[in-house]
Amino acid sequence: MNFLRKLKLALIGIALLAMAGCSAALLGYHIAPQLSYHWLDGYVDFTAAQRDIVRAELGRIHAWHRQHELPRYVGLLQTLQGLAAGDMNPARACEVAEEVRERYRVLLMQFEPVIVRLAPTATPEQLRHLRHRFDERNRRWRKDWLEGTQTERNEHRRKRLEDRAETFYGSLNPAQEGILEAYVAHSVFDPHFSHAETRRRQDDAIATLDRIGRLAEPDRRREVAAYFERFWRGGDPRYQGYLDRLTAGTCRLIADLHNSATPDQRRRAVKRLGEYLERLQGLRSR
């Protein structure tokens, strides 16, 4: 279930990462079902009987995604391109972010039937394998975000933000670097809180998979729907409040950084978004 994040990165992420500056992701969209399968298999280690079901479902979802969701991504990129030509305010940036989040939610709903179908076939070995892969992911995350001094962690985060911004704007000037430094220094981002929520969701995912495997089909559907509701709404109001504050801060950063861009930087951003838009439109015709 937390592994659904991996799945969405291979589908919705193919398009949305273009907005974040990963043009290479667009090249993989036409083989997204294969990429998704191999990614998921690394987490679940599918049995021979499960493989055919998973591959067929990924193919179905990809066809649905191309027909129904790609046009929406084109619209999002067109909106972003229009915004990049002028000034931006945090509220508008958050509106776009919320539309991206909605596209993620719509995609997740496509996976309910296959989870209902496969959960009874999940073996204890597969659940242990999933836990092992979660633990590996957690170790990498802790290395990036919890080890070292606070200064080192802040610099790591600032550099990642700078690299992403420079994909659109080119080299940042000292004033823009100062905007990033101030944002990181005053951000509400709490890696310990974020990591604790990730672990909670991972535990919920494995417990849910184990539980629904023992239920009758109608009850499985209700259990999966309840899990997705928890996944989407969150199980801790404190975390949701934290996430809202974090999102608001990110929207302010996007607006402040964009409004500080020079005319040349804005033209570069518009051009880069146009390149992504052209590629995305090409995907619809393949």
Side-chain angles (χ1 to χ4, degrees):
M1 302 284 198
N2 187 277
F3 66 85
L4 287 174
R5 291 181 178 275
K6 299 298 181 183
L7 201 65
K8 67 101 176 180
L9 284 176
L11 290 171
I12 196 170
I14 294 292
L16 295 184
L17 283 175
M19 302 177 196
C22 188
S23 60
L26 289 166
L27 300 176
Y29 184 83
H30 67 289
I31 57 169
Q34 296 94 310
L35 295 175
S36 302
Y37 174 82
H38 288 296
W39 208 342
L40 281 175
D41 190 42
Y43 271 75
V44 183
D45 193 17
F46 295 121
T47 66
Q50 292 167 339
R51 287 169 193 155
D52 289 342
I53 296 173
V54 173
R55 286 183 171 129
E57 284 296 304
L58 289 174
R60 174 188 65 80
I61 292 169
H62 186 250
W64 163 84
H65 193 269
R66 183 191 296 274
Q67 180 179 355
H68 297 285
E69 290 297 288
L70 276 187
R72 294 181 180 273
Y73 295 170
V74 168
L76 274 170
L77 275 175
Q78 289 171 334
T79 296
L80 286 171
Q81 192 177 33
L83 291 173
D87 287 343
M88 187 182 302
N89 62 64
R92 190 68 184 95
C94 276
E95 287 175 5
V96 175
E98 182 58 31
E99 176 60 20
V100 171
R101 188 169 182 265
E102 176 62 13
R103 303 274 52 82
Y104 176 21
R105 186 193 69 80
V106 169
L107 174 62
L108 282 183
M109 294 305 99
Q110 292 292 313
F111 292 98
E112 283 194 14
V114 68
I115 297 297
V116 170
R117 186 176 177 186
L118 286 179
T121 71
T123 67
E125 290 77 15
Q126 286 177 313
L127 295 182
R128 286 193 291 271
H129 184 72
L130 182 59
R131 168 54 71 191
H132 175 69
R133 291 305 306 270
F134 282 162
D135 289 343
E136 288 181 336
R137 175 190 180 277
N138 292 337
R139 282 193 292 272
R140 293 193 298 270
W141 199 93
R142 287 194 297 269
K143 181 178 180 180
D144 284 342
W145 299 108
L146 290 175
E147 294 182 2
T149 66
Q150 184 64 51
T151 298
E152 290 170 337
R153 294 197 298 269
N154 283 355
E155 176 58 20
H156 174 68
R157 191 170 178 220
R158 186 204 64 78
K159 186 65 171 67
R160 288 181 60 143
L161 290 168
E162 182 180 37
D163 289 344
R164 186 171 298 175
E166 287 186 341
T167 300
F168 288 104
Y169 298 116
S171 297
L172 301 186
N173 59 45
Q176 291 165 334
E177 291 174 351
I179 290 172
L180 290 180
E181 290 175 1
Y183 166 76
V184 170
H186 298 97
S187 173
V188 300
F189 175 62
D190 182 341
H192 296 279
F193 196 16
S194 294
H195 188 53
E197 174 63 14
T198 295
R199 291 298 305 269
R200 186 196 68 77
R201 292 188 179 209
Q202 291 170 348
D203 292 343
D204 188 20
I206 292 175
T208 300
L209 283 171
D210 183 48
R211 185 165 56 251
I212 64 180
R214 299 189 295 270
L215 299 176
E217 199 273 343
D219 293 328
R220 290 202 303 270
R221 289 201 306 269
R222 285 191 288 271
E223 189 70 31
V224 171
Y227 171 80
F228 274 110
E229 182 67 17
R230 293 194 303 275
F231 181 88
W232 189 247
R233 301 297 179 188
D236 185 348
R238 295 177 306 155
Y239 183 79
Q240 188 57 52
Y242 160 74
L243 197 60
D244 290 343
R245 293 191 299 275
L246 190 63
T247 299
T250 302
C251 293
R252 285 194 298 273
L253 170 65
I254 291 170
D256 289 346
L257 197 61
H258 181 73
N259 292 340
S260 73
T262 66
D264 283 346
Q265 286 177 322
R266 292 192 186 191
R267 283 191 290 270
R268 178 188 172 100
V270 170
K271 180 180 178 182
R272 180 56 58 90
L273 286 166
E275 292 169 354
Y276 296 155
L277 181 58
E278 182 178 351
R279 294 173 187 173
L280 198 59
Q281 289 171 324
L283 293 176
R284 296 176 60 190
S285 62
R286 289 186 183 181

